[in-house]
Amino acid sequence: MIDALNGYLYFVTIVEQGSITKASRALSIPKSKLSRRLAQLEQQLGSQLLIRTTRKQQLTESGLLLYQACKPHVEALNVMESLVHDKQNKIKGKLSLLLPLEFFNKVISALITEFAFKYPDIEIHCHHYSDAYPEFDHQYDLVFVLHEKALPTSHWIGKTLLSFPQSIFACKNSQLADNNNTVEELLIHKAITASESEQWLFRHNNSVQVFTPNIAMVLTSNEMRLEACQRGMGIVKLPDYIAKNNHKIKAISVEHNVMAQQLTILFQSRNIPAKTRTFIDYFQSKLGCLTND
């Protein structure tokens, strides 16, 4: 039984360290032993777990499933070992976060810094992505996603934290800003979008209607889309908090409500390590900082 547990521990370490050489140093175990144990594990499971070249290693589909299944248990064992040897029961370890590129950067920075002061034994690594959806990379403990549609199917577990109302905005001098418009009337006008494939979702009774805007410009930055709208380049869909206190644009009255934007956090297993659970609880306690910003 101990040998089997060690095999899974070695495998998780190889994945997280990025190579057998680095894992060997982290575990203080010879590379030859790690290579042999990895081969034994693959033979035992009847499936290749890692594709290794001279430059990099990559998980196979079977390897990813095994890693996701093993990681929380390995971390749980590490936590229990720490509890036995550390009477102070400190919350510690590396915590990797992935967030949207433009998402309350100033507020989030302050929250993370405050958390780091409160839990100095947690080593925070924060990265950003610019696409609509992130790549579900196993190296991250928590992934934050802003979305309107249901998230793509994956092995990750999601928890929705907050909804952000959205509106269609126009330059304050635009006639659209003074009229009650149908969705079809809006689509005649030029629009500034975040991507070429952007769709506008409207809630009508118990159904969702999907429309494709008439694109004039594609600007991935919220700030740039806001500026273009102010200058009369077109209408734009934005979360209300982005246009808050902006007197150069105005929300357009539309017959149906624009679908709200959801903030969802994704994690890899329901067996959440203490460090990750601590951050989730902390972040949830600070959600008012986002809605009141």
Side-chain angles (χ1 to χ4, degrees):
M1 176 63 72
I2 297 298
D3 284 345
L5 290 176
N6 282 339
Y8 293 128
L9 169 63
Y10 297 161
F11 171 70
V12 170
T13 305
I14 291 169
V15 173
E16 294 185 338
Q17 290 295 320
S19 71
I20 288 181
T21 300
K22 292 180 180 178
S24 171
R25 289 197 293 264
L27 294 168
S28 298
I29 293 175
K31 288 169 53 179
S32 57
K33 180 177 180 179
L34 283 183
S35 296
R36 185 170 63 254
R37 292 303 297 272
L38 176 61
Q40 290 173 348
L41 184 59
E42 289 179 329
Q43 183 178 9
Q44 173 189 335
L45 297 176
S47 181
Q48 185 177 9
L49 302 175
L50 285 172
I51 299 172
R52 288 183 289 154
T53 67
T54 55
R55 294 185 177 181
K56 65 177 182 178
Q57 69 177 25
Q58 182 179 352
L59 282 168
T60 64
E61 183 177 358
S62 297
L64 178 59
L65 289 173
L66 181 64
Y67 173 79
Q68 291 175 330
C70 288
K71 181 180 179 180
H73 298 293
V74 169
E75 292 196 338
L77 289 173
N78 288 336
V79 169
M80 291 306 298
E81 184 178 49
S82 178
L83 288 176
V84 172
H85 295 287
D86 187 355
K87 294 182 180 180
Q88 294 181 350
N89 189 20
K90 292 182 178 178
I91 298 172
K92 56 186 177 182
K94 177 181 175 182
L95 181 65
S96 294
L97 310 175
L98 184 63
L99 296 102
L101 185 60
E102 293 187 87
F103 178 62
F104 295 100
N105 286 349
K106 186 175 181 180
V107 176
I108 296 296
S109 177
L111 294 184
I112 289 178
T113 302
E114 180 183 318
F115 180 82
F117 275 117
K118 189 173 183 179
Y119 298 98
D121 291 324
I122 294 182
E123 179 185 324
I124 298 177
H125 291 233
C126 185
H127 301 269
H128 292 84
Y129 64 92
S130 57
D131 295 332
Y133 295 108
E135 294 185 9
F136 297 130
D137 193 323
H138 64 267
Q139 70 174 296
Y140 296 109
D141 298 291
L142 287 175
V143 177
F144 291 71
V145 186
L146 290 169
H147 62 100
E148 298 166 19
K149 299 179 181 179
L151 292 174
T153 301
S154 74
H155 298 294
W156 290 63
I157 299 167
K159 180 178 181 179
T160 299
L161 299 181
L162 204 60
S163 291
F164 298 106
Q166 298 192 108
S167 300
I168 307 297
F169 293 90
C171 175
K172 187 177 181 180
N173 297 328
S174 170
Q175 292 182 349
L176 280 172
D178 300 319
N179 299 330
N180 186 23
N181 305 273
T182 66
V183 175
E184 288 78 8
E185 288 171 338
L186 285 185
L187 299 181
I188 298 173
H189 297 270
K190 293 293 186 179
I192 308 156
T193 64
S195 71
E196 295 178 355
S197 59
E198 179 172 310
Q199 293 180 317
W200 290 359
L201 280 61
F202 294 85
R203 188 173 294 282
H204 178 51
N205 296 328
N206 294 323
S207 64
V208 175
Q209 296 180 324
V210 181
F211 296 89
T212 301
N214 182 16
I215 297 178
M217 301 177 70
V218 175
L219 302 172
T220 57
S221 164
N222 287 334
E223 185 177 346
M224 292 177 68
R225 293 201 302 280
L226 188 63
E227 178 66 24
C229 181
Q230 290 176 177
R231 293 177 177 270
M233 294 300 299
I235 58 178
V236 64
K237 180 189 68 175
L238 291 169
D240 292 351
Y241 66 81
I242 293 178
K244 187 177 181 180
N245 300 323
N246 188 306
H247 303 296
K248 296 181 180 181
I249 64 174
K250 185 177 180 180
I252 300 172
S253 177
V254 188
E255 59 179 343
H256 305 317
N257 294 326
V258 182
M259 182 76 76
Q261 192 178 61
Q262 308 293 320
L263 172 62
T264 297
I265 52 170
L266 302 173
F267 39 91
Q268 298 184 47
S269 169
R270 297 191 185 280
N271 298 318
I272 304 176
K275 62 181 181 181
T276 308
R277 169 57 63 189
T278 299
F279 184 85
I280 292 174
D281 292 343
Y282 166 82
F283 188 83
Q284 286 185 284
S285 73
K286 300 294 184 178
L287 287 178
C289 296
L290 303 184
T291 56
N292 296 327
D293 181 53

Short mmCIF file of all heavy atoms in Angstrom, two decimals, residues 205-235:
data_model
loop_
_atom_site.label_atom_id
_atom_site.label_comp_id
_atom_site.label_asym_id
_atom_site.label_seq_id
_atom_site.Cartn_x
_atom_site.Cartn_y
_atom_site.Cartn_z
N ASN A 205 -38.79 36.83 -21.21
CA ASN A 205 -39.59 35.88 -20.44
C ASN A 205 -38.67 34.80 -19.89
O ASN A 205 -37.74 35.09 -19.16
CB ASN A 205 -40.72 35.31 -21.30
CG ASN A 205 -41.71 36.38 -21.73
OD1 ASN A 205 -41.95 37.35 -20.97
ND2 ASN A 205 -42.31 36.23 -22.90
N ASN A 206 -38.91 33.54 -20.25
CA ASN A 206 -38.08 32.45 -19.74
C ASN A 206 -37.07 31.94 -20.77
O ASN A 206 -36.49 30.86 -20.59
CB ASN A 206 -38.96 31.29 -19.27
CG ASN A 206 -39.82 31.67 -18.09
OD1 ASN A 206 -39.37 32.40 -17.21
ND2 ASN A 206 -41.05 31.17 -18.06
N SER A 207 -36.89 32.71 -21.83
CA SER A 207 -35.97 32.26 -22.88
C SER A 207 -34.85 33.27 -23.07
O SER A 207 -34.93 34.41 -22.60
CB SER A 207 -36.73 32.07 -24.20
OG SER A 207 -37.24 33.31 -24.65
N VAL A 208 -33.81 32.85 -23.77
CA VAL A 208 -32.67 33.71 -24.07
C VAL A 208 -32.59 33.88 -25.59
O VAL A 208 -32.59 32.88 -26.32
CB VAL A 208 -31.36 33.11 -23.53
CG1 VAL A 208 -30.17 33.96 -23.97
CG2 VAL A 208 -31.40 33.01 -22.02
N GLN A 209 -32.55 35.11 -26.03
CA GLN A 209 -32.43 35.40 -27.46
C GLN A 209 -30.99 35.83 -27.75
O GLN A 209 -30.42 36.65 -27.01
CB GLN A 209 -33.41 36.49 -27.87
CG GLN A 209 -34.87 36.09 -27.71
CD GLN A 209 -35.82 37.19 -28.12
OE1 GLN A 209 -35.56 38.36 -27.92
NE2 GLN A 209 -36.95 36.81 -28.73
N VAL A 210 -30.43 35.30 -28.82
CA VAL A 210 -29.04 35.56 -29.18
C VAL A 210 -29.00 36.35 -30.48
O VAL A 210 -29.63 35.96 -31.47
CB VAL A 210 -28.25 34.25 -29.33
CG1 VAL A 210 -26.80 34.54 -29.68
CG2 VAL A 210 -28.35 33.41 -28.07
N PHE A 211 -28.27 37.47 -30.48
CA PHE A 211 -28.16 38.31 -31.66
C PHE A 211 -26.69 38.59 -31.96
O PHE A 211 -25.85 38.64 -31.05
CB PHE A 211 -28.89 39.64 -31.44
CG PHE A 211 -30.38 39.48 -31.25
CD1 PHE A 211 -30.92 39.30 -29.99
CD2 PHE A 211 -31.24 39.52 -32.34
CE1 PHE A 211 -32.29 39.16 -29.80
CE2 PHE A 211 -32.60 39.37 -32.17
CZ PHE A 211 -33.14 39.19 -30.90
N THR A 212 -26.40 38.79 -33.24
CA THR A 212 -25.06 39.14 -33.66
C THR A 212 -25.02 40.63 -33.99
O THR A 212 -25.75 41.09 -34.87
CB THR A 212 -24.65 38.34 -34.91
OG1 THR A 212 -24.71 36.94 -34.60
CG2 THR A 212 -23.24 38.71 -35.34
N PRO A 213 -24.20 41.42 -33.29
CA PRO A 213 -24.15 42.86 -33.54
C PRO A 213 -23.51 43.20 -34.88
O PRO A 213 -22.78 42.39 -35.46
CB PRO A 213 -23.29 43.38 -32.37
CG PRO A 213 -22.46 42.22 -31.97
CD PRO A 213 -23.29 41.00 -32.20
N ASN A 214 -23.79 44.40 -35.35
CA ASN A 214 -23.26 44.90 -36.62
C ASN A 214 -21.90 45.56 -36.33
O ASN A 214 -21.83 46.73 -35.94
CB ASN A 214 -24.25 45.90 -37.23
CG ASN A 214 -23.80 46.44 -38.56
OD1 ASN A 214 -22.90 45.88 -39.20
ND2 ASN A 214 -24.39 47.54 -38.99
N ILE A 215 -20.82 44.82 -36.52
CA ILE A 215 -19.50 45.24 -36.03
C ILE A 215 -18.92 46.41 -36.83
O ILE A 215 -18.87 46.37 -38.06
CB ILE A 215 -18.52 44.06 -36.04
CG1 ILE A 215 -19.00 42.96 -35.09
CG2 ILE A 215 -17.12 44.52 -35.65
CD1 ILE A 215 -18.11 41.73 -35.08
N ALA A 216 -18.49 47.43 -36.09
CA ALA A 216 -17.75 48.55 -36.68
C ALA A 216 -16.28 48.48 -36.29
O ALA A 216 -15.39 48.78 -37.08
CB ALA A 216 -18.33 49.88 -36.20
N MET A 217 -16.02 48.06 -35.04
CA MET A 217 -14.66 47.96 -34.53
C MET A 217 -14.59 46.77 -33.57
O MET A 217 -15.57 46.44 -32.90
CB MET A 217 -14.25 49.23 -33.76
CG MET A 217 -14.30 50.52 -34.54
SD MET A 217 -13.86 51.95 -33.48
CE MET A 217 -12.11 51.65 -33.24
N VAL A 218 -13.41 46.14 -33.50
CA VAL A 218 -13.15 45.09 -32.52
C VAL A 218 -12.00 45.57 -31.63
O VAL A 218 -10.88 45.75 -32.10
CB VAL A 218 -12.78 43.75 -33.18
CG1 VAL A 218 -12.41 42.72 -32.12
CG2 VAL A 218 -13.94 43.25 -34.03
N LEU A 219 -12.30 45.78 -30.35
CA LEU A 219 -11.31 46.26 -29.38
C LEU A 219 -11.40 45.36 -28.15
O LEU A 219 -12.43 45.32 -27.48
CB LEU A 219 -11.58 47.72 -29.00
CG LEU A 219 -11.58 48.75 -30.14
CD1 LEU A 219 -12.07 50.10 -29.64
CD2 LEU A 219 -10.19 48.87 -30.74
N THR A 220 -10.34 44.64 -27.85
CA THR A 220 -10.39 43.69 -26.75
C THR A 220 -10.40 44.36 -25.38
O THR A 220 -10.82 43.76 -24.40
CB THR A 220 -9.20 42.71 -26.81
OG1 THR A 220 -7.98 43.46 -26.79
CG2 THR A 220 -9.26 41.87 -28.08
N SER A 221 -9.96 45.59 -25.31
CA SER A 221 -9.87 46.30 -24.04
C SER A 221 -11.18 47.00 -23.70
O SER A 221 -11.75 47.72 -24.53
CB SER A 221 -8.74 47.33 -24.10
OG SER A 221 -8.85 48.27 -23.05
N ASN A 222 -11.68 46.79 -22.47
CA ASN A 222 -12.87 47.50 -22.02
C ASN A 222 -12.68 49.01 -22.10
O ASN A 222 -13.58 49.75 -22.52
CB ASN A 222 -13.19 47.11 -20.57
CG ASN A 222 -13.75 45.71 -20.45
OD1 ASN A 222 -14.34 45.19 -21.38
ND2 ASN A 222 -13.54 45.10 -19.31
N GLU A 223 -11.51 49.45 -21.68
CA GLU A 223 -11.22 50.89 -21.66
C GLU A 223 -11.25 51.48 -23.07
O GLU A 223 -11.78 52.57 -23.30
CB GLU A 223 -9.85 51.13 -21.02
CG GLU A 223 -9.50 52.59 -20.85
CD GLU A 223 -8.16 52.78 -20.15
OE1 GLU A 223 -7.65 51.80 -19.56
OE2 GLU A 223 -7.64 53.91 -20.18
N MET A 224 -10.71 50.73 -24.04
CA MET A 224 -10.70 51.23 -25.41
C MET A 224 -12.11 51.24 -26.01
O MET A 224 -12.48 52.16 -26.74
CB MET A 224 -9.77 50.36 -26.27
CG MET A 224 -8.30 50.51 -25.90
SD MET A 224 -7.21 49.42 -26.86
CE MET A 224 -7.37 50.14 -28.49
N ARG A 225 -12.92 50.22 -25.69
CA ARG A 225 -14.30 50.20 -26.19
C ARG A 225 -15.10 51.36 -25.59
O ARG A 225 -15.92 51.99 -26.28
CB ARG A 225 -14.98 48.86 -25.87
CG ARG A 225 -14.38 47.69 -26.61
CD ARG A 225 -15.33 46.51 -26.69
NE ARG A 225 -15.74 46.02 -25.38
CZ ARG A 225 -15.01 45.23 -24.61
NH1 ARG A 225 -13.80 44.86 -25.01
NH2 ARG A 225 -15.46 44.81 -23.45
N LEU A 226 -14.85 51.65 -24.34
CA LEU A 226 -15.53 52.76 -23.67
C LEU A 226 -15.16 54.08 -24.34
O LEU A 226 -16.02 54.92 -24.61
CB LEU A 226 -15.14 52.77 -22.19
CG LEU A 226 -15.89 53.73 -21.27
CD1 LEU A 226 -17.37 53.39 -21.21
CD2 LEU A 226 -15.30 53.68 -19.87
N GLU A 227 -13.88 54.26 -24.63
CA GLU A 227 -13.42 55.49 -25.26
C GLU A 227 -14.02 55.64 -26.66
O GLU A 227 -14.45 56.73 -27.05
CB GLU A 227 -11.89 55.49 -25.35
CG GLU A 227 -11.27 56.70 -26.02
CD GLU A 227 -11.48 57.99 -25.25
OE1 GLU A 227 -11.69 57.93 -24.02
OE2 GLU A 227 -11.43 59.08 -25.88
N ALA A 228 -14.06 54.56 -27.43
CA ALA A 228 -14.62 54.61 -28.77
C ALA A 228 -16.10 54.95 -28.74
O ALA A 228 -16.60 55.70 -29.58
CB ALA A 228 -14.39 53.28 -29.49
N CYS A 229 -16.80 54.41 -27.75
CA CYS A 229 -18.22 54.70 -27.61
C CYS A 229 -18.43 56.17 -27.27
O CYS A 229 -19.33 56.83 -27.81
CB CYS A 229 -18.84 53.80 -26.53
SG CYS A 229 -20.61 54.05 -26.27
N GLN A 230 -17.60 56.69 -26.39
CA GLN A 230 -17.70 58.11 -26.01
C GLN A 230 -17.54 59.03 -27.22
O GLN A 230 -18.16 60.09 -27.30
CB GLN A 230 -16.62 58.45 -24.96
CG GLN A 230 -16.84 57.83 -23.61
CD GLN A 230 -15.71 58.10 -22.64
OE1 GLN A 230 -15.77 57.72 -21.48
NE2 GLN A 230 -14.67 58.76 -23.10
N ARG A 231 -16.72 58.59 -28.17
CA ARG A 231 -16.44 59.41 -29.35
C ARG A 231 -17.44 59.16 -30.49
O ARG A 231 -17.26 59.65 -31.59
CB ARG A 231 -15.01 59.16 -29.82
CG ARG A 231 -13.96 59.66 -28.83
CD ARG A 231 -12.56 59.33 -29.30
NE ARG A 231 -11.56 59.86 -28.39
CZ ARG A 231 -11.02 61.07 -28.49
NH1 ARG A 231 -11.38 61.87 -29.50
NH2 ARG A 231 -10.12 61.49 -27.63
N GLY A 232 -18.48 58.36 -30.18
CA GLY A 232 -19.54 58.17 -31.16
C GLY A 232 -19.24 57.16 -32.25
O GLY A 232 -19.86 57.19 -33.32
N MET A 233 -18.29 56.23 -32.00
CA MET A 233 -17.93 55.25 -33.02
C MET A 233 -18.93 54.11 -33.12
O MET A 233 -18.91 53.34 -34.07
CB MET A 233 -16.53 54.68 -32.72
CG MET A 233 -15.41 55.71 -32.85
SD MET A 233 -15.31 56.41 -34.52
CE MET A 233 -14.98 54.95 -35.49
N GLY A 234 -19.81 53.98 -32.14
CA GLY A 234 -20.80 52.92 -32.18
C GLY A 234 -21.33 52.60 -30.81
O GLY A 234 -20.91 53.16 -29.80
N ILE A 235 -22.29 51.67 -30.77
CA ILE A 235 -22.84 51.24 -29.50
C ILE A 235 -21.98 50.10 -28.95
O ILE A 235 -21.22 49.45 -29.69
CB ILE A 235 -24.31 50.79 -29.65
CG1 ILE A 235 -24.43 49.65 -30.68
CG2 ILE A 235 -25.18 51.97 -30.07
CD1 ILE A 235 -25.85 49.13 -30.84
#
